[in-house]
Amino acid sequence: MARAGLSTERLVRAGAELADEVGFDQVTVSALARRFGVQVASLYSHVKSSQDLRTRIALLALEELADRAADALAGRAGKDALVAYADVYRDYARAHPGRYTAARLRLDPETAAAGAGVRHAQMTRAILRGYDLTEPDQTHAVRMLGSVFHGYVDLELSGGFSHSAPDSQQSWIRVLDALDALLRNWPAPT
């Protein structure tokens, strides 16, 4: 019988909070059981395994990010949309480092197709329509933006930019300026 007050949603949210506190790699069913002061076995009526818990946290993080991105993009186009979208990822990673890591968990194709990752791709492609990119260049640009956003945020979170001037905010603005210029002047295939 399930312990009163515990639900899958409550456990996933608590797991997401734990991920932000101690790192996504440290989130397990055992760690969550300790947090709630219950036996590990009592959580298995809500989650199948630590991997199931981690997958659910990843799906939650993707949904939260997609909701924030959709709100940020409303009514924006071009560079304004690009900057708003990029800032959502960076701000989310700073506020929720464990969830941000979870959002990049490799999901099986069926789970990925049912999650909010599809919304992220659609929003990125919507931004790129403002730059008149068509396939296959649009796919190349989606991959480039994801690489730049995630790479920059990872380096920044790990302290990679903390020992030199200018500060990382100035570099972030310049990177986004450069991305906008590149997207406006996308090179023709060679």
Side-chain angles (χ1 to χ4, degrees):
M1 177 169 204
R3 185 173 176 91
L6 293 183
S7 66
T8 303
E9 181 180 348
R10 185 169 179 216
L11 292 174
V12 171
R13 291 212 172 269
E17 290 169 11
L18 183 63
D20 289 338
E21 293 167 16
V22 301
F24 184 59
D25 293 344
Q26 302 301 312
V27 176
T28 62
V29 173
S30 298
L32 204 52
R34 283 191 297 277
R35 176 166 275 216
F36 281 100
V38 299
Q39 296 295 315
V40 173
S42 66
L43 300 187
Y44 286 119
S45 61
H46 304 288
V47 293
K48 297 175 191 172
S49 63
S50 289
Q51 185 58 40
D52 179 44
L53 174 63
R54 292 166 54 84
T55 297
R56 290 172 186 270
I57 294 168
L59 293 171
L60 170 68
L62 285 167
E63 189 71 34
E64 288 176 344
L65 260 169
D67 289 345
R68 289 177 185 203
D71 288 346
L73 289 174
R76 293 191 163 130
K79 183 180 179 186
D80 191 33
L82 176 70
V83 170
Y85 191 63
D87 284 345
V88 165
Y89 281 91
R90 187 172 180 229
D91 293 345
Y92 188 82
R94 289 170 156 182
H96 302 289
R99 293 178 208 208
Y100 177 75
T101 300
R104 293 174 311 154
L105 180 70
R106 185 179 193 146
L107 302 171
D108 66 77
E110 185 177 306
T111 302
V118 174
R119 287 177 58 204
H120 291 269
Q122 291 169 338
M123 285 184 276
T124 306
R125 288 180 185 280
I127 291 167
L128 293 174
R129 281 193 296 273
Y131 291 97
D132 293 325
L133 293 179
T134 58
E135 287 301 344
D137 290 327
Q138 196 176 85
T139 295
H140 299 316
V142 167
R143 291 173 179 168
M144 178 193 67
L145 291 177
S147 298
V148 172
F149 297 163
H150 293 300
Y152 194 96
V153 168
D154 283 347
L155 288 168
E156 185 176 45
L157 289 177
S158 68
F161 303 139
S162 61
H163 303 294
S164 63
D167 73 71
S168 63
Q169 177 61 25
Q170 288 177 308
S171 295
W172 179 248
I173 292 167
R174 295 296 292 146
V175 165
L176 296 178
D177 288 343
L179 285 173
D180 174 63
L182 173 61
L183 291 170
R184 283 186 285 109
N185 300 287
W186 192 260
T190 54

